[in-house]
Coordinates of all heavy atoms in Angstrom, one line a residue:
M293 N 60.8 -113.8 -68.9 CA 60.5 -114.4 -70.2 C 59.0 -114.2 -70.5 O 58.7 -114.0 -71.7 CB 60.8 -115.9 -70.1 CG 60.6 -116.6 -71.5 SD 61.3 -118.2 -71.4 CE 62.3 -118.2 -72.7
A294 N 58.1 -114.2 -69.6 CA 56.7 -113.9 -69.9 C 56.5 -112.5 -70.4 O 55.7 -112.3 -71.2 CB 55.9 -114.1 -68.6
I295 N 57.3 -111.6 -69.9 CA 57.3 -110.2 -70.4 C 57.6 -110.1 -71.9 O 56.9 -109.5 -72.7 CB 58.2 -109.3 -69.6 CG1 57.6 -109.2 -68.2 CG2 58.2 -107.9 -70.2 CD1 58.6 -108.4 -67.2
V296 N 58.6 -110.9 -72.3 CA 59.0 -110.9 -73.7 C 57.9 -111.5 -74.6 O 57.5 -111.0 -75.6 CB 60.3 -111.7 -73.9 CG1 60.6 -111.9 -75.4 CG2 61.5 -111.0 -73.2
V297 N 57.3 -112.6 -74.1 CA 56.2 -113.2 -74.8 C 55.0 -112.3 -74.9 O 54.4 -112.1 -76.0 CB 55.8 -114.6 -74.2 CG1 54.5 -115.1 -74.8 CG2 56.9 -115.5 -74.3
V298 N 54.6 -111.6 -73.8 CA 53.5 -110.6 -73.9 C 53.9 -109.5 -74.8 O 53.0 -109.1 -75.6 CB 53.2 -110.1 -72.4 CG1 52.3 -108.9 -72.5 CG2 52.7 -111.2 -71.6
G299 N 55.1 -109.0 -74.8 CA 55.5 -108.0 -75.7 C 55.4 -108.5 -77.2 O 55.0 -107.8 -78.0
L300 N 55.8 -109.7 -77.4 CA 55.8 -110.3 -78.7 C 54.3 -110.4 -79.2 O 54.0 -110.1 -80.3 CB 56.5 -111.6 -78.8 CG 56.5 -112.3 -80.1 CD1 57.2 -111.5 -81.1 CD2 57.1 -113.7 -80.0
I301 N 53.5 -110.9 -78.3 CA 52.1 -111.0 -78.7 C 51.4 -109.7 -79.0 O 50.7 -109.5 -79.9 CB 51.3 -111.8 -77.5 CG1 51.8 -113.2 -77.5 CG2 49.8 -111.7 -77.8 CD1 51.3 -114.0 -76.3
A302 N 51.7 -108.7 -78.2 CA 51.2 -107.3 -78.4 C 51.7 -106.8 -79.8 O 51.0 -106.3 -80.5 CB 51.6 -106.4 -77.3
W303 N 53.0 -107.1 -80.1 CA 53.5 -106.6 -81.4 C 52.8 -107.4 -82.5 O 52.5 -106.7 -83.5 CB 55.0 -106.9 -81.4 CG 55.6 -106.5 -82.7 CD1 56.0 -105.2 -83.1 CD2 55.9 -107.3 -83.8 NE1 56.4 -105.2 -84.3 CE2 56.4 -106.5 -84.8 CE3 55.8 -108.7 -84.1 CZ2 56.8 -107.0 -86.1 CZ3 56.1 -109.1 -85.3 CH2 56.6 -108.3 -86.3
I304 N 52.6 -108.7 -82.4 CA 51.9 -109.4 -83.4 C 50.5 -108.9 -83.6 O 50.1 -108.7 -84.7 CB 51.9 -110.9 -83.1 CG1 53.4 -111.4 -83.2 CG2 51.0 -111.7 -84.0 CD1 53.5 -112.9 -82.7
A305 N 49.8 -108.6 -82.6 CA 48.4 -108.1 -82.7 C 48.4 -106.8 -83.4 O 47.5 -106.5 -84.2 CB 47.8 -108.0 -81.3
V306 N 49.3 -105.9 -83.1 CA 49.4 -104.6 -83.7 C 49.7 -104.8 -85.2 O 49.2 -104.1 -86.1 CB 50.4 -103.7 -83.0 CG1 50.6 -102.4 -83.8 CG2 49.9 -103.3 -81.6
G307 N 50.6 -105.7 -85.5 CA 51.0 -106.0 -86.9 C 49.9 -106.6 -87.7 O 50.0 -106.5 -89.0
C308 N 48.9 -107.2 -87.2 CA 47.9 -107.8 -87.9 C 46.8 -106.8 -88.4 O 46.0 -107.1 -89.2 CB 47.2 -108.9 -87.1 SG 48.3 -110.3 -86.8
G309 N 46.7 -105.7 -87.8 CA 45.7 -104.7 -88.2 C 46.2 -103.4 -87.8 O 47.3 -103.1 -87.5
G310 N 45.3 -102.5 -87.7 CA 45.6 -101.1 -87.3 C 44.5 -100.5 -86.4 O 43.8 -101.2 -85.8
S311 N 44.5 -99.2 -86.4 CA 43.5 -98.5 -85.6 C 43.0 -97.3 -86.4 O 43.7 -96.8 -87.3 CB 44.1 -98.0 -84.3 OG 43.2 -97.2 -83.6
D312 N 41.7 -96.9 -86.2 CA 41.2 -95.8 -87.0 C 41.4 -94.5 -86.3 O 40.8 -93.5 -86.6 CB 39.7 -96.1 -87.3 CG 38.9 -96.1 -86.1 OD1 39.4 -95.9 -84.9 OD2 37.6 -96.3 -86.2
G313 N 42.2 -94.5 -85.3 CA 42.5 -93.2 -84.6 C 41.6 -93.1 -83.3 O 42.0 -92.3 -82.4
S314 N 40.5 -93.8 -83.2 CA 39.7 -93.8 -82.0 C 40.0 -95.0 -81.1 O 39.3 -95.2 -80.2 CB 38.2 -93.8 -82.4 OG 37.9 -95.0 -83.0
G315 N 40.9 -95.8 -81.5 CA 41.2 -97.0 -80.7 C 40.6 -98.3 -81.3 O 40.9 -99.3 -80.8
R316 N 39.6 -98.1 -82.2 CA 39.0 -99.3 -82.8 C 39.9 -100.0 -83.8 O 40.6 -99.3 -84.6 CB 37.7 -98.9 -83.5 CG 36.6 -98.4 -82.6 CD 35.4 -98.1 -83.4 NE 35.7 -97.2 -84.5 CZ 34.9 -96.4 -85.1 NH1 33.7 -96.3 -84.7 NH2 35.3 -95.6 -86.1
A317 N 40.0 -101.3 -83.7 CA 40.8 -102.1 -84.6 C 40.3 -102.0 -86.1 O 39.1 -101.9 -86.3 CB 40.9 -103.5 -84.2
T318 N 41.2 -102.0 -87.0 CA 40.8 -102.0 -88.4 C 41.6 -103.1 -89.2 O 42.6 -103.6 -88.7 CB 41.2 -100.6 -89.1 OG1 42.6 -100.4 -89.0 CG2 40.4 -99.5 -88.5
H319 N 41.0 -103.5 -90.3 CA 41.7 -104.5 -91.2 C 41.5 -104.0 -92.6 O 40.6 -103.2 -93.0 CB 41.1 -105.9 -91.0 CG 41.2 -106.4 -89.6 ND1 42.4 -106.8 -89.1 CD2 40.3 -106.6 -88.7 CE1 42.3 -107.2 -87.9 NE2 41.0 -107.1 -87.6
T320 N 42.3 -104.6 -93.5 CA 42.2 -104.3 -94.9 C 41.3 -105.3 -95.7 O 41.3 -106.5 -95.4 CB 43.5 -104.2 -95.7 OG1 44.2 -105.4 -95.5 CG2 44.4 -103.1 -95.1
L321 N 40.5 -104.8 -96.6 CA 39.7 -105.6 -97.5 C 40.2 -105.3 -98.9 O 40.3 -104.1 -99.3 CB 38.2 -105.3 -97.4 CG 37.3 -105.8 -98.5 CD1 37.3 -107.3 -98.5 CD2 35.9 -105.2 -98.4
T322 N 40.7 -106.3 -99.6 CA 41.2 -106.2 -101.0 C 40.2 -106.9 -101.9 O 39.8 -108.0 -101.7 CB 42.6 -106.8 -101.2 OG1 43.5 -106.1 -100.2 CG2 43.1 -106.6 -102.6
V323 N 39.8 -106.2 -103.0 CA 38.9 -106.7 -104.0 C 39.6 -106.8 -105.3 O 40.2 -105.8 -105.7 CB 37.6 -105.8 -104.1 CG1 36.7 -106.4 -105.2 CG2 36.9 -105.7 -102.8
D324 N 39.7 -108.0 -105.9 CA 40.3 -108.2 -107.2 C 39.2 -108.5 -108.2 O 38.5 -109.4 -108.1 CB 41.3 -109.4 -107.1 CG 42.5 -109.1 -106.2 OD1 43.0 -108.0 -106.2 OD2 42.8 -110.0 -105.4
V325 N 39.2 -107.7 -109.3 CA 38.2 -107.8 -110.3 C 38.9 -108.3 -111.6 O 39.8 -107.6 -112.0 CB 37.4 -106.5 -110.6 CG1 36.4 -106.7 -111.7 CG2 36.7 -106.0 -109.3
Q326 N 38.4 -109.4 -112.1 CA 39.0 -109.9 -113.4 C 37.9 -109.9 -114.4 O 36.8 -110.4 -114.2 CB 39.6 -111.3 -113.2 CG 40.8 -111.3 -112.3 CD 41.3 -112.7 -112.1 OE1 40.7 -113.7 -112.5 NE2 42.5 -112.9 -111.6
G327 N 38.2 -109.4 -115.6 CA 37.3 -109.5 -116.7 C 36.4 -108.2 -116.8 O 36.6 -107.2 -116.1
P328 N 35.4 -108.3 -117.7 CA 34.6 -107.1 -118.0 C 33.5 -106.9 -117.0 O 32.3 -107.3 -117.2 CB 34.0 -107.4 -119.4 CG 34.0 -108.9 -119.5 CD 35.2 -109.4 -118.6
G329 N 33.8 -106.3 -115.9 CA 32.8 -105.9 -114.9 C 33.4 -105.1 -113.8 O 34.6 -104.7 -113.9
L330 N 32.6 -104.8 -112.8 CA 33.0 -103.9 -111.7 C 32.4 -104.4 -110.4 O 31.4 -105.1 -110.4 CB 32.7 -102.5 -112.0 CG 31.2 -102.1 -112.2 CD1 30.6 -101.8 -110.8 CD2 31.1 -100.9 -113.1
V331 N 33.0 -103.9 -109.3 CA 32.4 -104.2 -108.0 C 32.2 -102.9 -107.3 O 33.0 -102.0 -107.3 CB 33.4 -105.1 -107.1 CG1 32.9 -105.2 -105.7 CG2 33.5 -106.5 -107.8
R332 N 31.0 -102.8 -106.6 CA 30.6 -101.6 -105.8 C 30.4 -102.0 -104.4 O 29.9 -103.1 -104.1 CB 29.4 -100.9 -106.4 CG 29.6 -100.3 -107.7 CD 28.3 -99.6 -108.2 NE 28.5 -99.0 -109.4 CZ 27.7 -99.1 -110.5 NH1 26.7 -100.0 -110.5 NH2 28.0 -98.5 -111.6
S333 N 30.6 -101.1 -103.5 CA 30.2 -101.3 -102.1 C 30.2 -99.9 -101.4 O 30.9 -99.0 -101.9 CB 31.2 -102.1 -101.4 OG 31.0 -102.2 -100.0
T334 N 29.5 -99.8 -100.3 CA 29.4 -98.5 -99.6 C 30.8 -98.2 -99.0 O 31.1 -97.1 -98.7 CB 28.3 -98.5 -98.5 OG1 28.6 -99.6 -97.6 CG2 27.0 -98.6 -99.1
V335 N 31.6 -99.2 -98.8 CA 32.9 -99.0 -98.2 C 34.0 -98.6 -99.2 O 35.1 -98.1 -98.8 CB 33.5 -100.2 -97.4 CG1 32.5 -100.5 -96.2 CG2 33.7 -101.4 -98.2
L336 N 33.7 -98.8 -100.5 CA 34.7 -98.4 -101.6 C 34.4 -96.9 -102.0 O 33.3 -96.5 -101.9 CB 34.5 -99.3 -102.8 CG 34.9 -100.8 -102.5 CD1 34.5 -101.6 -103.8 CD2 36.3 -100.9 -102.2
T337 N 35.4 -96.3 -102.4 CA 35.3 -94.8 -102.8 C 34.7 -94.7 -104.2 O 34.3 -93.6 -104.6 CB 36.6 -94.1 -102.7 OG1 37.6 -94.8 -103.6 CG2 37.1 -94.1 -101.3
G338 N 34.6 -95.7 -104.9 CA 34.1 -95.7 -106.3 C 34.0 -97.1 -106.8 O 34.1 -98.1 -106.1
D339 N 33.7 -97.2 -108.1 CA 33.7 -98.5 -108.8 C 35.0 -99.1 -108.8 O 36.0 -98.4 -109.1 CB 33.2 -98.3 -110.2 CG 31.7 -97.8 -110.3 OD1 31.0 -97.9 -109.3 OD2 31.3 -97.4 -111.4
C340 N 35.1 -100.4 -108.5 CA 36.4 -101.1 -108.5 C 36.5 -101.9 -109.7 O 35.7 -102.8 -110.0 CB 36.4 -102.0 -107.3 SG 38.0 -102.9 -107.1
H341 N 37.6 -101.6 -110.5 CA 38.0 -102.3 -111.7 C 39.5 -102.7 -111.3 O 40.2 -101.9 -110.8 CB 38.1 -101.5 -112.9 CG 36.7 -100.9 -113.3 ND1 35.9 -101.6 -114.1 CD2 36.1 -99.7 -113.0 CE1 34.8 -100.8 -114.3 NE2 34.9 -99.7 -113.6
G342 N 39.9 -103.9 -111.6 CA 41.3 -104.3 -111.3 C 41.4 -104.7 -109.8 O 40.7 -105.6 -109.4
S343 N 42.2 -104.0 -109.0 CA 42.4 -104.3 -107.6 C 42.2 -103.1 -106.8 O 42.7 -102.0 -107.1 CB 43.8 -104.9 -107.4 OG 43.9 -105.2 -106.1
C344 N 41.4 -103.2 -105.7 CA 41.1 -102.1 -104.8 C 41.3 -102.5 -103.4 O 40.9 -103.7 -103.0 CB 39.6 -101.6 -105.0 SG 39.2 -101.1 -106.7
T345 N 41.8 -101.7 -102.6 CA 42.0 -102.0 -101.2 C 41.4 -100.9 -100.3 O 41.5 -99.7 -100.6 CB 43.5 -102.1 -100.8 OG1 44.0 -103.1 -101.7 CG2 43.7 -102.5 -99.4
V346 N 40.7 -101.3 -99.2 CA 40.1 -100.3 -98.4 C 40.3 -100.8 -96.9 O 40.4 -102.0 -96.7 CB 38.6 -100.1 -98.7 CG1 37.8 -101.4 -98.5 CG2 38.0 -99.0 -97.9
T347 N 40.3 -99.9 -96.0 CA 40.5 -100.2 -94.6 C 39.1 -100.0 -93.9 O 38.5 -99.0 -94.1 CB 41.5 -99.3 -93.9 OG1 42.8 -99.5 -94.5 CG2 41.7 -99.6 -92.4
V348 N 38.7 -101.0 -93.2 CA 37.4 -101.0 -92.5 C 37.5 -101.4 -91.0 O 38.5 -102.0 -90.7 CB 36.3 -101.9 -93.2 CG1 36.0 -101.4 -94.6 CG2 36.7 -103.3 -93.1
A349 N 36.6 -101.0 -90.2 CA 36.6 -101.4 -88.8 C 36.5 -102.9 -88.7 O 35.9 -103.6 -89.5 CB 35.4 -100.8 -88.1
A350 N 37.3 -103.4 -87.7 CA 37.3 -104.9 -87.5 C 35.9 -105.4 -87.2 O 35.0 -104.7 -86.6 CB 38.2 -105.2 -86.3
D351 N 35.6 -106.6 -87.7 CA 34.4 -107.3 -87.5 C 33.2 -106.6 -88.2 O 32.0 -106.7 -87.7 CB 34.1 -107.5 -86.0 CG 35.1 -108.4 -85.4 OD1 35.6 -109.3 -86.0 OD2 35.5 -108.1 -84.2
T352 N 33.5 -106.0 -89.3 CA 32.4 -105.3 -90.1 C 32.0 -106.3 -91.2 O 32.8 -106.9 -91.9 CB 33.0 -104.0 -90.8 OG1 33.3 -103.1 -89.7 CG2 31.9 -103.4 -91.7
E353 N 30.7 -106.5 -91.4 CA 30.2 -107.2 -92.5 C 30.0 -106.3 -93.7 O 29.3 -105.3 -93.6 CB 28.9 -107.9 -92.2 CG 28.4 -108.8 -93.3 CD 27.1 -109.6 -93.0 OE1 26.0 -108.9 -93.2 OE2 27.2 -110.7 -92.5
V354 N 30.7 -106.6 -94.8 CA 30.6 -105.8 -96.0 C 29.9 -106.5 -97.1 O 30.1 -107.7 -97.4 CB 32.1 -105.4 -96.5 CG1 32.1 -104.7 -97.8 CG2 32.8 -104.7 -95.4
E355 N 29.0 -105.7 -97.8 CA 28.3 -106.3 -98.9 C 28.9 -105.7 -100.2 O 29.1 -104.5 -100.3 CB 26.8 -105.9 -98.9 CG 26.0 -106.4 -100.0 CD 24.5 -106.1 -99.8 OE1 23.9 -106.7 -98.9 OE2 24.0 -105.3 -100.6
L356 N 29.3 -106.6 -101.1 CA 29.9 -106.3 -102.4 C 28.9 -106.6 -103.5 O 28.3 -107.7 -103.5 CB 31.2 -107.1 -102.6 CG 32.3 -106.8 -101.5 CD1 33.4 -107.9 -101.7 CD2 32.8 -105.4 -101.6
E357 N 28.7 -105.7 -104.4 CA 27.9 -106.0 -105.6 C 28.7 -106.0 -106.9 O 29.3 -105.0 -107.2 CB 26.8 -104.9 -105.7 CG 25.9 -105.2 -106.9 CD 24.8 -104.2 -107.1 OE1 24.8 -103.1 -106.4 OE2 23.9 -104.4 -108.0
G358 N 28.7 -107.1 -107.5 CA 29.4 -107.2 -108.8 C 28.4 -107.0 -109.9 O 27.3 -107.5 -109.9
T359 N 28.8 -106.2 -110.9 CA 28.0 -105.9 -112.1 C 28.8 -106.1 -113.3 O 29.8 -105.5 -113.5 CB 27.5 -104.4 -112.0 OG1 26.7 -104.2 -110.8 CG2 26.5 -104.2 -113.2
A360 N 28.3 -107.0 -114.2 CA 28.9 -107.3 -115.5 C 28.7 -106.2 -116.5 O 27.7 -105.6 -116.5 CB 28.4 -108.6 -116.0
D361 N 29.7 -106.0 -117.3 CA 29.5 -105.1 -118.4 C 28.5 -105.7 -119.4 O 28.2 -106.9 -119.3 CB 30.9 -104.9 -119.2 CG 31.9 -104.1 -118.4 OD1 31.5 -103.5 -117.3 OD2 33.0 -104.0 -118.8
A362 N 28.1 -104.9 -120.4 CA 27.1 -105.4 -121.4 C 27.8 -106.6 -122.1 O 29.0 -106.6 -122.3 CB 26.8 -104.3 -122.4
N363 N 27.0 -107.5 -122.5 CA 27.4 -108.8 -123.2 C 28.4 -109.6 -122.3 O 29.2 -110.3 -122.9 CB 28.0 -108.4 -124.5 CG 26.9 -107.8 -125.4 OD1 25.8 -108.2 -125.5 ND2 27.3 -106.7 -126.1
S364 N 28.3 -109.5 -121.0 CA 29.2 -110.3 -120.1 C 28.3 -110.8 -119.0 O 27.1 -110.5 -118.8 CB 30.2 -109.4 -119.5 OG 31.0 -108.8 -120.6
F365 N 28.9 -111.7 -118.2 CA 28.2 -112.3 -117.0 C 29.2 -112.5 -115.9 O 30.4 -112.6 -116.2 CB 27.4 -113.6 -117.3 CG 28.3 -114.7 -117.7 CD1 28.7 -115.7 -116.8 CD2 28.7 -114.9 -119.0 CE1 29.5 -116.7 -117.1 CE2 29.5 -116.0 -119.4 CZ 29.9 -116.9 -118.5
I366 N 28.8 -112.6 -114.7 CA 29.7 -112.8 -113.6 C 29.8 -114.3 -113.4 O 28.8 -115.1 -113.3 CB 29.2 -112.1 -112.3 CG1 30.2 -112.3 -111.2 CG2 27.8 -112.6 -111.9 CD1 30.1 -111.4 -110.0
Q367 N 31.0 -114.8 -113.5 CA 31.3 -116.2 -113.3 C 31.2 -116.6 -111.9 O 30.7 -117.7 -111.6 CB 32.7 -116.6 -113.9 CG 33.0 -118.1 -113.8 CD 34.3 -118.4 -114.4 OE1 35.3 -117.6 -114.2 NE2 34.5 -119.5 -115.0
G368 N 31.7 -115.8 -111.0 CA 31.6 -116.1 -109.6 C 32.5 -115.3 -108.7 O 33.3 -114.4 -109.2
W369 N 32.5 -115.6 -107.4 CA 33.3 -114.9 -106.4 C 34.3 -115.9 -105.9 O 34.1 -117.1 -105.9 CB 32.4 -114.5 -105.2 CG 31.4 -113.5 -105.6 CD1 30.1 -113.7 -106.0 CD2 31.6 -112.1 -105.6 NE1 29.5 -112.5 -106.2 CE2 30.4 -111.5 -106.0 CE3 32.7 -111.2 -105.3 CZ2 30.2 -110.1 -106.2 CZ3 32.5 -109.9 -105.5 CH2 31.3 -109.3 -105.9
S370 N 35.4 -115.4 -105.4 CA 36.4 -116.3 -104.7 C 36.8 -115.6 -103.5 O 36.6 -114.4 -103.2 CB 37.6 -116.5 -105.7 OG 38.2 -115.2 -106.0
G371 N 37.5 -116.4 -102.6 CA 38.0 -115.8 -101.3 C 37.0 -116.0 -100.2 O 36.1 -116.9 -100.3
D372 N 37.0 -115.1 -99.3 CA 36.3 -115.2 -98.0 C 34.9 -114.6 -98.1 O 34.5 -113.9 -97.2 CB 37.0 -114.6 -96.9 CG 38.3 -115.4 -96.6 OD1 38.3 -116.7 -96.8 OD2 39.3 -114.8 -96.3
C373 N 34.2 -114.8 -99.2 CA 32.8 -114.2 -99.2 C 31.8 -115.3 -99.6 O 32.2 -116.4 -100.1 CB 32.7 -113.1 -100.3 SG 32.6 -113.6 -102.0
F374 N 30.6 -115.0 -99.2 CA 29.5 -116.0 -99.6 C 28.5 -115.2 -100.4 O 28.1 -114.1 -100.1 CB 28.9 -116.6 -98.4 CG 28.3 -115.7 -97.4 CD1 26.9 -115.4 -97.4 CD2 29.1 -115.1 -96.4 CE1 26.4 -114.6 -96.5 CE2 28.5 -114.3 -95.5 CZ 27.2 -114.0 -95.5
M375 N 28.1 -115.8 -101.6 CA 27.1 -115.2 -102.5 C 25.8 -115.3 -101.8 O 25.4 -116.3 -101.3 CB 27.1 -115.9 -103.8 CG 26.3 -115.2 -104.8 SD 26.3 -116.0 -106.4 CE 25.5 -117.5 -106.1
V376 N 25.1 -114.2 -101.9 CA 23.7 -114.1 -101.3 C 22.6 -113.9 -102.4 O 21.5 -114.1 -102.1 CB 23.6 -113.1 -100.2 CG1 24.5 -113.4 -99.0 CG2 23.9 -111.7 -100.7
A377 N 23.0 -113.4 -103.6 CA 22.0 -113.1 -104.6 C 22.6 -113.0 -105.9 O 23.7 -112.6 -106.1 CB 21.2 -111.9 -104.2
M378 N 21.8 -113.4 -106.9 CA 22.2 -113.1 -108.3 C 20.9 -112.5 -109.0 O 19.8 -112.8 -108.6 CB 22.6 -114.4 -109.1 CG 24.0 -114.9 -108.6 SD 24.6 -116.2 -109.7 CE 25.2 -115.2 -111.1
G379 N 21.1 -111.7 -110.0 CA 20.0 -111.1 -110.6 C 20.4 -110.3 -111.8 O 21.5 -110.5 -112.4
T380 N 19.5 -109.4 -112.2 CA 19.8 -108.5 -113.4 C 19.5 -107.1 -112.9 O 18.4 -106.8 -112.3 CB 18.9 -108.9 -114.5 OG1 19.1 -110.3 -114.8 CG2 19.2 -108.1 -115.8
S381 N 20.3 -106.2 -113.3 CA 20.1 -104.8 -112.9 C 19.0 -104.2 -113.8 O 18.6 -104.8 -114.8 CB 21.4 -104.0 -113.1 OG 21.7 -103.8 -114.5
T382 N 18.6 -103.0 -113.5 CA 17.6 -102.3 -114.3 C 18.1 -102.0 -115.7 O 17.3 -101.9 -116.6 CB 17.1 -100.9 -113.7 OG1 18.3 -100.2 -113.4 CG2 16.4 -101.2 -112.4
G383 N 19.4 -102.0 -115.9 CA 20.0 -101.8 -117.2 C 20.2 -103.2 -118.0 O 20.7 -103.2 -119.1
G384 N 19.7 -104.3 -117.4 CA 19.8 -105.6 -118.0 C 21.1 -106.3 -117.8 O 21.4 -107.3 -118.5
R385 N 22.0 -105.8 -117.0 CA 23.3 -106.4 -116.8 C 23.2 -107.4 -115.6 O 22.5 -107.2 -114.7 CB 24.3 -105.4 -116.5 CG 24.5 -104.4 -117.6 CD 25.6 -103.4 -117.3 NE 25.8 -102.6 -118.5 CZ 26.6 -101.6 -118.6 NH1 27.4 -101.3 -117.5 NH2 26.7 -100.9 -119.7
D386 N 24.0 -108.5 -115.7 CA 24.0 -109.5 -114.7 C 24.7 -108.9 -113.4 O 25.6 -108.1 -113.5 CB 24.9 -110.7 -115.1 CG 24.2 -111.6 -116.1 OD1 23.0 -111.4 -116.3 OD2 24.8 -112.5 -116.6
T387 N 24.1 -109.2 -112.3 CA 24.6 -108.7 -111.0 C 24.7 -109.9 -110.0 O 24.0 -110.9 -110.2 CB 23.7 -107.6 -110.4 OG1 22.4 -108.2 -110.1 CG2 23.6 -106.4 -111.3
S388 N 25.5 -109.7 -109.0 CA 25.7 -110.7 -108.0 C 26.1 -110.0 -106.7 O 26.9 -109.1 -106.8 CB 26.7 -111.8 -108.4 OG 26.8 -112.7 -107.4
I389 N 25.6 -110.4 -105.6 CA 26.0 -109.8 -104.3 C 26.7 -110.9 -103.5 O 26.2 -112.0 -103.4 CB 24.8 -109.3 -103.6 CG1 24.2 -108.1 -104.4 CG2 25.2 -108.8 -102.2 CD1 22.9 -107.6 -103.8
C390 N 27.8 -110.5 -102.8 CA 28.4 -111.4 -101.8 C 28.7 -110.6 -100.6 O 28.7 -109.4 -100.6 CB 29.7 -112.1 -102.3 SG 31.2 -111.2 -102.1
K391 N 28.8 -111.3 -99.5 CA 29.0 -110.6 -98.2 C 30.3 -111.3 -97.6 O 30.6 -112.4 -97.8 CB 27.9 -110.8 -97.2 CG 26.7 -110.0 -97.6 CD 25.6 -110.0 -96.5 CE 24.4 -109.2 -97.0 NZ 23.4 -109.1 -95.9
V392 N 31.1 -110.4 -96.9 CA 32.3 -110.9 -96.3 C 32.4 -110.2 -94.9 O 32.1 -109.1 -94.7 CB 33.5 -110.5 -97.2 CG1 33.6 -109.0 -97.4 CG2 34.8 -111.1 -96.6
L393 N 32.9 -111.0 -93.9 CA 33.1 -110.5 -92.6 C 34.6 -110.2 -92.5 O 35.4 -111.0 -92.7 CB 32.7 -111.5 -91.5 CG 33.0 -111.1 -90.1 CD1 32.2 -109.8 -89.7 CD2 32.7 -112.2 -89.1
V394 N 34.9 -108.9 -92.3 CA 36.3 -108.4 -92.2 C 36.8 -108.5 -90.8 O 36.7 -107.5 -90.0 CB 36.4 -107.0 -92.8 CG1 37.9 -106.6 -92.8 CG2 35.8 -106.9 -94.2
S395 N 37.1 -109.7 -90.4 CA 37.7 -109.9 -89.0 C 39.2 -110.1 -89.0 O 39.8 -110.3 -87.9 CB 37.0 -111.2 -88.4 OG 37.3 -112.3 -89.2
S396 N 39.8 -110.0 -90.2 CA 41.2 -110.0 -90.4 C 41.4 -109.4 -91.8 O 40.5 -109.1 -92.4 CB 41.8 -111.4 -90.3 OG 41.3 -112.2 -91.3
A397 N 42.7 -109.3 -92.2 CA 42.9 -108.9 -93.6 C 42.2 -109.9 -94.5 O 42.4 -111.1 -94.4 CB 44.4 -108.8 -93.9
V398 N 41.4 -109.4 -95.5 CA 40.6 -110.3 -96.4 C 40.8 -109.9 -97.8 O 40.9 -108.7 -98.1 CB 39.1 -110.2 -96.0 CG1 38.3 -111.0 -96.9 CG2 38.8 -110.6 -94.6
R399 N 40.9 -110.9 -98.7 CA 41.0 -110.7 -100.1 C 39.8 -111.5 -100.8 O 39.6 -112.6 -100.5 CB 42.3 -111.2 -100.6 CG 42.5 -111.0 -102.1 CD 43.9 -111.3 -102.6 NE 44.3 -110.1 -103.4 CZ 45.3 -109.3 -103.1 NH1 46.0 -109.4 -102.1 NH2 45.6 -108.3 -104.0
V400 N 39.1 -110.8 -101.7 CA 37.9 -111.3 -102.4 C 38.1 -111.1 -103.9 O 38.6 -110.0 -104.3 CB 36.6 -110.7 -101.9 CG1 35.4 -111.1 -102.7 CG2 36.4 -111.0 -100.4
G401 N 37.7 -112.0 -104.7 CA 37.8 -111.9 -106.1 C 36.5 -112.0 -106.8 O 35.6 -112.7 -106.3
A402 N 36.3 -111.2 -107.9 CA 35.1 -111.3 -108.7 C 35.6 -111.6 -110.1 O 36.4 -110.8 -110.6 CB 34.2 -110.1 -108.6
T403 N 35.0 -112.6 -110.8 CA 35.5 -112.9 -112.1 C 34.3 -112.7 -113.1 O 33.2 -113.3 -112.9 CB 36.0 -114.3 -112.2 OG1 37.1 -114.5 -111.3 CG2 36.5 -114.7 -113.6
F404 N 34.5 -112.0 -114.2 CA 33.5 -111.7 -115.2 C 34.0 -112.3 -116.5 O 35.2 -112.3 -116.8 CB 33.3 -110.2 -115.3 CG 32.8 -109.6 -114.1 CD1 33.7 -109.1 -113.1 CD2 31.4 -109.5 -113.8 CE1 33.2 -108.5 -112.0 CE2 31.0 -108.9 -112.6 CZ 31.9 -108.4 -111.7
I405 N 33.0 -112.8 -117.3 CA 33.4 -113.4 -118.6 C 32.5 -112.8 -119.7 O 31.3 -112.5 -119.5 CB 33.0 -115.0 -118.6 CG1 33.7 -115.6 -117.4 CG2 33.3 -115.6 -119.9 CD1 35.2 -115.8 -117.6
S406 N 33.1 -112.5 -120.9 CA 32.4 -112.0 -122.0 C 31.5 -113.1 -122.6 O 31.9 -114.3 -122.6 CB 33.4 -111.5 -123.1 OG 34.1 -110.5 -122.7
R407 N 30.3 -112.8 -123.1 CA 29.4 -113.8 -123.7 C 29.9 -114.2 -125.1 O 30.4 -113.4 -125.8 CB 28.0 -113.2 -123.7 CG 27.4 -113.1 -122.4 CD 25.9 -112.7 -122.5 NE 25.4 -112.3 -121.2 CZ 24.9 -113.0 -120.3 NH1 24.8 -114.3 -120.4 NH2 24.4 -112.5 -119.2

């Protein structure tokens, strides 16, 4: 019976994440953007509008930067991130940075509002 439980536990652990081919565990980070703005990060392949998903190494801290379109502002972040800064970009657009620790599958939201 212990063998079955160990097998089940191993199956559950594999089902919760993946591997990057080198044996390191990975997890997915999903970013949902609502309204007139975008989110950027070094882990994303480009600007995120709508919904974007990326796979990162487990226990990676990811910094996300939200930038509002002209005549808009960022209302806030949701999910498993904590805001660390708000400001204005060199183009005069509202910006905000949040950080998230990807220790499991994580979903983060950024909401932008027109002025």
Side-chain angles (χ1 to χ4, degrees):
M293 187 170 231
I295 294 172
V296 173
V297 172
V298 170
L300 179 62
I301 291 170
W303 179 80
I304 290 171
V306 171
C308 291
S311 171
D312 64 2
S314 68
R316 293 182 307 204
T318 59
H319 298 293
T320 57
L321 167 63
T322 302
V323 179
D324 296 312
V325 179
Q326 295 181 345
L330 60 89
V331 172
R332 292 184 177 126
S333 176
T334 58
V335 300
L336 296 171
T337 57
D339 294 346
C340 181
H341 301 270
S343 185
C344 304
T345 301
V346 64
T347 301
V348 297
D351 300 321
T352 299
E353 184 177 84
V354 175
E355 183 174 288
L356 302 168
E357 179 181 8
T359 302
D361 290 350
N363 299 315
S364 301
F365 65 95
I366 185 163
Q367 182 181 32
W369 297 94
S370 61
D372 295 323
C373 77
F374 59 94
M375 186 179 63
V376 295
M378 288 193 80
T380 305
S381 70
T382 54
R385 296 181 178 181
D386 285 350
T387 62
S388 179
I389 294 173
C390 89
K391 291 188 179 185
V392 60
L393 178 62
V394 184
S395 58
S396 63
V398 177
R399 180 170 228 117
V400 173
T403 303
F404 299 90
I405 305 290
S406 296
R407 292 188 193 272

